[in-house]
Amino acid sequence: EICGKRYSRQCDLTKHQNNHLKGHHCTVPGCEWPGGAEKKDLDRHMWTNHSTTAREQKVKKDEKVCPHCAYKGRGDNVARHLKNCKNLKKGKSK
């Protein structure tokens, strides 16, 4: 227990504790990113800030495509985009 929060499931406690520990750190020399709780946080950081290194290290890329238009981006951004996609509202698909 780090902050006093309690969870009924161990997996939820472990995930919450990872937010405090930030166990995934950038290995690029000189990078001052404080780290992330999950591997996906590090992957996103690498693609956003060190894309050449991410490509060389074959870091997993969270890129999705809107099925209704040509919009591409991170999965969370595409999910948000889908709520307002003009082609979806018009009933069009690419």
Side-chain angles (χ1 to χ4, degrees), residues 23-41:
H24 297 277
H25 299 279
C26 185
T27 58
V28 174
C31 181
E32 295 181 10
W33 183 62
E38 298 181 36
K39 174 76 165 74
K40 68 179 182 176
D41 299 324

Side-chain angles (χ1 to χ4, degrees), residues 61-79 81-82 85 94:
K61 190 170 188 178
D62 174 29
E63 186 172 83
K64 305 285 188 235
V65 179
C66 175
H68 306 286
C69 67
Y71 181 83
K72 276 192 216 178
R74 288 189 335 227
D76 59 328
N77 290 336
V78 172
H81 160 82
L82 280 169
C85 179
K94 45 175 202 170

